[in-house]
Each structure stands twice: as structure tokens, then as C-alpha cells.
């Protein structure tokens, strides 16, 4: 993860290498599926409605069949972490019901280790923060039915510069993580000697496979060298963007950048526009609803970034919407896309299993507006009749024809699942 204490690359640099991958806005949902075969087999291919086949060149560690869900410490706490916080977070994920919805990873980010390795070259948990050690913490998290994640870096030091990276210690660190019972590794990109991530990340990928434990591998390369084009054979998710901030502009920019790489994601490996900011206080409720809806539609990891111990009722309700989570976790595993744009009014859509289509009407403008998705925008046959389920209002329109429209407030969304009721689906 890029830290505020580092020089971040400009938004131009963040997107220039990706420009060639941009897709037309008026892309049909059917073409979304077909596009998944257009990159040398690197993306999931769909063989008829609701059936996906594995992608060639994909890391086969039997993980991430759907996007990962859980919690990460960085967005809210930065370096202010300790073992009590991690234990209490695990407790809250269980007591709040979030763990039963799929939020099972409890991920420790930067600043957990001492600056220096021990005499044998091993990483050492920071005594002032984790006096019981990481193994004991993993045992506690596992006792709650959850999984523990940890953080390192493909460089000499991590982004905080307060602990060592794993460059040159990949095999040793992977075995250490495995011995502690670690289930997830987020692997950052700081202090990297100017060496391409394409040369540095394969070593840790192989080391994890050699570790004797199944460990989810999350590459955090910030999208510098278009990781969607090469990371699927190395890991289970890859950051496509710079760090998210708890503000509307940052969230929407990350959504747009991530959209360019939709055809590369699928079961086993996912595009990652960074963690959720829902509940951190920098956006309105409707902006957070937009954030969560788009992340769900595009099959982004759903990693909570707020303090769940003190979250309010609204935050819990947003994060607990089972119908929205079901879109994210749909087994077809095709990333939704922006398919229509008229100024600040957008339609995002993507296919789901059982011949359904998920649709988001997103108002990025400054005033309430009517937004319409015609069947031609989302790949449905003109004569198709659908049942439309509003997944936020939890209401159903029984028979809709030709289009779906709604008045959408500023910076808000309407999100639907359309289920065809007639034979002519596409």
C-alpha cells in the first residue's frame, strides 16, 4: 500500500499505462462475458449462461473462488495497532453477525514487526504491540472461526519504514508466516530498489506455495505496471489503483481506473481497487452506499476499513446487506462494468448466475436526476420481461419491459437484480 508518508505517483501516471485497456462505455453485458476470452485466455470464460471455465495461466491454489471478505487495519488505524485491537475486532466481527455474512479475514497491515530481524534472520513481532506473538493471536482468531492475515513488502522495508520487507527473504518469511498459522498475505511495493514488480513478486508467490500452508496472496503493486495482465498467475488479487482515501473523489477515481481491467478478473483472481472506507466518516451515507454497491458489482474484495468496534447502526446496515453481498459473491464471477455514461449519470451492469443481470444506476452529479437503463444498454433482448429486485429497498417489481428507470439522488445509486421471466434472454 502506498503510504501518506511516501511520494505518490500522479493520477496521470496511474492511468497512462492502462489507457489502452479502456473499453467503450456502451458495452453490452453479453460482450462483457465474451470479452473475457479476448486476452489470450487470461480471463474467466463463460460457456453458456451460468457456467464458467477456469482461466489459463491462473495461480491454482484453490483459493478466491469469490472475492475475499474481511477487515484490514490500515484505513482507520494506520500504525496504531496492537494485539488487543485485533482480538477485539475478531470478537466484533462475530458478535455483529458480519462473520456469518462472509467477513472472515482479520488482516494486520503495516507496523507489526520490529525494525530488525533476529540473529537467524527471522521477522520479530513488535514486543510493545504484540507481546503474545503472532502465533498466539492466530490461534485466538482461528478459535473464533476466522482467518488471520498479515502484511509484508517486496522491498527492503515496508512503506512505514518501521519494519523489514521480505525482499531476499521470501522463502524464510513465507515459512515463518505458515508456522504462525497465517491465512493471508498482503504484499506491498515500497523501498524496492527500482526493480520491476514483475521480477520481485514471483519469488513470494512461489515461496507461499512452498510453505506447506494455503495462504491467500494479495499483491499490492498499486497498478504501476498493469498487474491485471501478469498477476493472475502469481496471486489471488492485485491492486489496480493507488491508495483509496475516505473521500468521494478518490473513491470514484479508483472505480474508474479499476473498470479498465474488468476482463482480467474472475474466480481465483480479482481486481482490487483498494479497501472499503464505509464508516470512516469522510463521505455521506449515500456516497458510502454508492461505494459499497460499485465494489460489490465489480467483484472487488470487500475488506472493511473502519473500526467495527464502534461503528454505528447505519454502517452496520450498509455492510450487512445480504442481497448486495450476494452480487459480489455470485459464483459466475464476472466483473460488472460501466456500460453507459451521459455526463454524470451512469449505468453499470454485469451478468450473474441463473441468467440474471445486476444493474446500478449511479448519479455522480450534484442534483437529483432520472437514470434509465434500456435493455439494449445491458444486453437483454428487447422483448424480455424481467422481475426487478431493488436490493437496497428490498422491494420487487414483478414485470418490467424494455427499460428500468429511477430517480436517483446526488451521489447515490439504485441497484437492481433483473431476473428474466421470458425465453428471449439475450
Amino acid at each position: 500500500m502506498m503510504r501518506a508518508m511516501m511520494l505518490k505517483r500522479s493520477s496521470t501516471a496511474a492511468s497512462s499505462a492502462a489507457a489502452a485497456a479502456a473499453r467503450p462505455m456502451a458495452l453490452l453485458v453479453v460482450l462483457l462475458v465474451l470479452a473475457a476470452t479476448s486476452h489470450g485466455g487470461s480471463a474467466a470464460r463463460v460457456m453458456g449462461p451460468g457456467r464458467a471455465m477456469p482461466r489459463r495461466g491462473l495461480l491454482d491454489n484453490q483459493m478466491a473462488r469469490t472475492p475475499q471478505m474481511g477487515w484490514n487495519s490500515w484505513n482507520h488505524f494506520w500504525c496504531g495497532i496492537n494485539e488487543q485491537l485485533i482480538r477485539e475486532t475478531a470478537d466484533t466481527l462475530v458478535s455483529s453477525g458480519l462473520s456469518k455474512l462472509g467477513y472472515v479475514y482479520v488482516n494486520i497491515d503495516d507496523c507489526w514487526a520490529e525494525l530488525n530481524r533476529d540473529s537467524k534472520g527471522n521477522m520479530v513481532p513488535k514486543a510493545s504491540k504484540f507481546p503474545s506473538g503472532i502465533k498466539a493471536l492466530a490461534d485466538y482468531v482461528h478459535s473464533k472461526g476466522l482467518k488471520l492475515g498479515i502484511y509484508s513488502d517486496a522491498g527492503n522495508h515496508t512503506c512505514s519504514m518501521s519494519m523489514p520487507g521480505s525482499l531476499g527473504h521470501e522463502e524464510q518469511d513465507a515459512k515463518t508466516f505458515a508456522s504462525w498459522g497465517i491465512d493471508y498475505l498482503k504484499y506491498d511495493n515500497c523501498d524496492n530498489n527500482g526493480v520491476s514488480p514483475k521480477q520481485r513478486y514471483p519469488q513470494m508467490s512461489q515461496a507461499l506455495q512452498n510453505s506447506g500452508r494455503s495462504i491467500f496472496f494479495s499483491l499490492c503493486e498499486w497498478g504501476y505496471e498493469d498487474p491485471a495482465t501478469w498477476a493472475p498467475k502469481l496471486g489471488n488479487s492485485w491492486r489496480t489503483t493507488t491508495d483509496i482515501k475516505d473521500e468521494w473523489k478518490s473513491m470514484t477515481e479508483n472505480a474508474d481506473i479499476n473498470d479498465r481491467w474488468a476482463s482480467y478478473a474472475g474466480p481465483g483472481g480479482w481486481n482490487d481497487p483498494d479497501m472499503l472506507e464505509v464508516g470512516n466518516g469522510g463521505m455521506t451515507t449515500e456516497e458510502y452506499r454508492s461505494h459499497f454497491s460499485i465494489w460489490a458489482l465489480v467483484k472487488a474484495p470487500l475488506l472493511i476499513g473502519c473500526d467495527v468496534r464502534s461503528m454505528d447502526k447505519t454502517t452496520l446496515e450498509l455492510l450487512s446487506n445480504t442481497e448486495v453481498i450476494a452480487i459480489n459473491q455470485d459464483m459466475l464471477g464476472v466483473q460488472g462494468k460501466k456500460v453507459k455514461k451521459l455526463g454524470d449519470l451512469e449505468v453499470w451492469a454485469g451478468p450473474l448466475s441463473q441468467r440474471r443481470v445486476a444493474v446500478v444506476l449511479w448519479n455522480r452529479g450534484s442534483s437529483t436526476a432520472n437514470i434509465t437503463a434500456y435493455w439494449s444498454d445491458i444486453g437483454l433482448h428487447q422483448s424480455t420481461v424481467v422481475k426487478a429486485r431493488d436490493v437496497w429497498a428490498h422491494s420487487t417489481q414483478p414485470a418490467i419491459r424494455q427499460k428500468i428507470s429511477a430517480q436517483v439522488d446526488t451521489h447515490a445509486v439504485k441497484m437492481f437484480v433483473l431476473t428474466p421471466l421470458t425465453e428471449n434472454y439475450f
Side-chain angles (χ1 to χ4, degrees):
M1 133 187 343
M2 298 182 68
R3 308 301 188 205
M5 57 197 77
M6 295 183 55
L7 292 175
K8 294 189 177 185
R9 70 172 179 175
S10 68
S11 58
T12 300
S15 59
S16 60
R23 297 288 183 268
M25 295 302 178
L27 185 65
L28 301 181
V29 170
V30 173
L31 294 182
L32 267 176
V33 182
L34 295 178
T37 67
S38 66
H39 298 281
S42 63
R45 292 194 284 170
V46 176
M47 303 176 62
R51 291 185 294 163
M53 65 178 291
R55 296 169 289 160
R56 294 192 296 271
L58 183 73
L59 174 66
D60 186 19
N61 62 358
Q62 303 302 312
M63 305 186 77
R65 307 319 298 169
T66 59
Q68 67 268 37
M69 297 176 62
W71 174 89
N72 179 281
S73 62
W74 183 258
N75 282 4
H76 189 87
F77 294 98
W78 288 47
C79 283
I81 58 173
N82 56 54
E83 64 181 42
Q84 181 179 352
L85 166 65
I86 304 304
R87 287 172 181 259
E88 290 176 355
T89 296
D91 293 342
T92 305
L93 289 176
V94 173
S95 64
S96 65
L98 288 169
S99 64
K100 289 184 178 179
L101 302 180
Y103 295 99
V104 296
Y105 285 106
V106 182
N107 293 343
I108 305 168
D109 212 283
D110 203 351
C111 310
W112 62 268
E114 300 286 3
L115 178 60
N116 297 313
R117 294 172 178 269
D118 67 16
S119 60
K120 295 181 179 179
N122 296 310
M123 280 188 171
V124 180
K126 189 165 289 188
S128 61
K129 295 186 175 186
F130 297 93
S132 302
I134 302 299
K135 176 64 166 65
L137 186 57
D139 290 344
Y140 183 84
V141 169
H142 292 157
S143 76
K144 298 291 180 177
L146 304 173
K147 299 178 180 181
L148 186 67
I150 209 162
Y151 166 95
S152 190
D153 187 285
N156 302 305
H157 295 87
T158 64
C159 294
S160 69
M161 299 298 289
S162 68
M163 58 174 278
S166 292
L167 186 64
H169 294 266
E170 292 87 356
E171 289 287 340
Q172 183 174 15
D173 290 350
K175 286 183 170 58
T176 296
F177 299 152
S179 72
W180 288 343
I182 292 299
D183 304 294
Y184 186 114
L185 175 65
K186 177 180 176 181
Y187 204 48
D188 221 332
N189 193 32
C190 290
D191 195 18
N192 56 40
N193 299 332
V195 178
S196 169
K198 296 178 184 178
Q199 298 179 42
R200 290 178 287 110
Y201 279 78
Q203 285 85 344
M204 181 55 81
S205 175
Q206 188 60 54
L208 292 174
Q209 294 176 67
N210 296 340
S211 71
R213 183 175 179 83
S214 294
I215 298 177
F216 189 110
F217 190 27
S218 172
L219 290 77
C220 184
E221 180 266 7
W222 321 320
Y224 271 24
E225 293 192 26
D226 305 340
T229 64
W230 51 267
K233 65 184 179 181
L234 301 179
N236 302 113
S237 67
W238 45 88
R239 274 278 294 282
T240 55
T241 67
T242 55
D243 282 9
I244 195 171
K245 298 177 182 178
D246 186 21
E247 58 188 41
W248 173 256
K249 183 175 183 291
S250 173
M251 183 272 287
T252 56
E253 287 178 349
N254 277 23
D256 289 338
I257 294 170
N258 186 70
D259 184 50
R260 297 167 184 157
W261 304 104
S263 65
Y264 292 87
W270 308 99
N271 291 316
D272 178 6
D274 207 1
M275 298 166 290
L276 294 168
E277 291 284 6
V278 177
N280 277 328
M283 289 185 264
T284 68
T285 296
E286 291 310 312
E287 288 171 343
Y288 281 140
R289 193 188 314 275
S290 295
H291 179 18
F292 192 65
S293 298
I294 293 297
W295 261 235
L297 180 82
V298 304
K299 306 300 188 290
L302 298 182
L303 295 174
I304 299 169
C306 70
D307 185 352
V308 294
R309 303 170 304 171
S310 60
M311 63 183 166
D312 59 23
K313 180 180 178 181
T314 299
T315 297
L316 180 58
E317 288 177 349
L318 290 174
L319 295 172
S320 298
N321 188 316
T322 57
E323 295 189 66
V324 178
I325 292 171
I327 292 170
N328 178 261
Q329 297 289 297
D330 184 75
M331 294 304 295
L332 185 61
V334 177
Q335 179 174 324
K337 278 189 60 67
K338 185 188 302 186
V339 299
K340 182 180 181 180
K341 177 177 174 64
L342 295 173
D344 291 323
L345 309 180
E346 298 180 352
V347 176
W348 293 58
L352 301 174
S353 59
Q354 300 177 347
R355 305 178 188 272
R356 298 168 300 149
V357 178
V359 178
V360 173
L361 309 180
W362 194 9
N363 182 358
R364 293 168 65 162
S366 58
S367 59
T368 301
N370 187 75
I371 303 178
T372 298
Y374 293 94
W375 283 186
S376 59
D377 298 325
I378 60 175
L380 290 175
H381 192 279
Q382 188 69 14
S383 64
T384 301
V385 180
V386 305
K387 175 177 66 176
R389 177 68 174 177
D390 184 326
V391 298
W392 284 111
H394 304 297
S395 60
T396 302
Q397 301 177 61
I400 304 296
R401 294 172 172 81
Q402 298 182 345
K403 64 182 180 181
I404 188 163
S405 300
Q407 285 290 116
V408 185
D409 290 338
T410 177
H411 290 192
V413 295
K414 296 289 185 179
M415 190 174 197
F416 302 94
V417 172
L418 308 182
T419 302
L421 302 174
T422 54
E423 291 298 323
N424 292 327
Y425 303 110
F426 302 112

